[in-house]
Every structure is written in C-alpha cells, then in structure tokens.
Amino acid sequence: MTAPDDQNIDAMLAAMLAPPARPGDRGFAVGVARAIDAQAAYARARRRFWRSFAFEALAIGALLAALWLLSSAPLLAPLAGATHWGLAPPLLLILLLWFGTQRWRQA
C-alpha cells in the first residue's frame, strides 16, 4: 500500500511534470486545414488534367485511324500521296493548335 506521503509526492510530481496549460493554437489549425484543402485541390486538378489528356490522346488516335482509312479510299488517294499520310501532318497540326489554344484559354 502507499502511504499518504507517497500520494502527496505523486500528486506533486504529476503537477510538476504536466505540460503547461495553454490555449489551442488557432492559427496553426487554420494553416493545416488550408494545406489539406490545397492538397485536395491539387489532386483534383491532376485528375482532371490526366482525364482530359487521355480523352485528347484517344481523339488524336481516332483521327489518325480515320485519316489512314480515308487516305486509302480511291477518291482521296491522290491527295494522300504515296505514303498514305499526306493529309495527316497538316490536319494534326490544326488539331494540336486547337487543343493548345483551348488549354491556354482555360488557364
């Protein structure tokens, strides 16, 4: 069993070793909340970017496939040239310029 003196010593030690009482740091809490919100917004922006990039890559792939199929048609063969890719560079340049201006306008 503990003697009354031991209880007093324990209480004294607990009071001496306890951290000082102070109010909460509201500024720190607000800063942490802002950092969490900023990180979530950045993650959402990254997801939007990669999703739009995937759709644009699919669109360019579909355009290349369509140009390849159209260039093999007898009606368009003289415009396509011997390599079947005569139309692809100028049309891809127009498409890429359009995508670039859309990105620039959104920024």
Side-chain angles (χ1 to χ4, degrees), residues 12-45:
M12 182 183 68
L13 285 175
M16 289 174 52
L17 297 176
R22 61 182 176 154
D25 192 357
R26 183 113 172 111
F28 177 75
V30 169
V32 169
R34 285 183 185 160
I36 291 171
D37 291 343
Q39 189 175 13
Y42 179 68
R44 283 191 306 271

Side-chain angles (χ1 to χ4, degrees), residues 14 16 24 49 69 89 91 102:
M16 289 174 52
F49 170 77
L69 289 172
L91 290 177
Q102 293 301 314

Side-chain angles (χ1 to χ4, degrees), residues 29-79:
V30 169
V32 169
R34 285 183 185 160
I36 291 171
D37 291 343
Q39 189 175 13
Y42 179 68
R44 283 191 306 271
R46 282 180 56 92
R47 281 193 303 271
R48 271 195 316 267
F49 170 77
W50 285 113
R51 187 179 305 130
S52 67
F53 178 77
F55 282 122
E56 289 170 5
L58 285 173
I60 289 173
L63 182 66
L64 283 173
L67 287 174
W68 181 73
L69 289 172
L70 286 175
S71 66
S72 63
L75 181 64
L76 297 176
L79 296 174

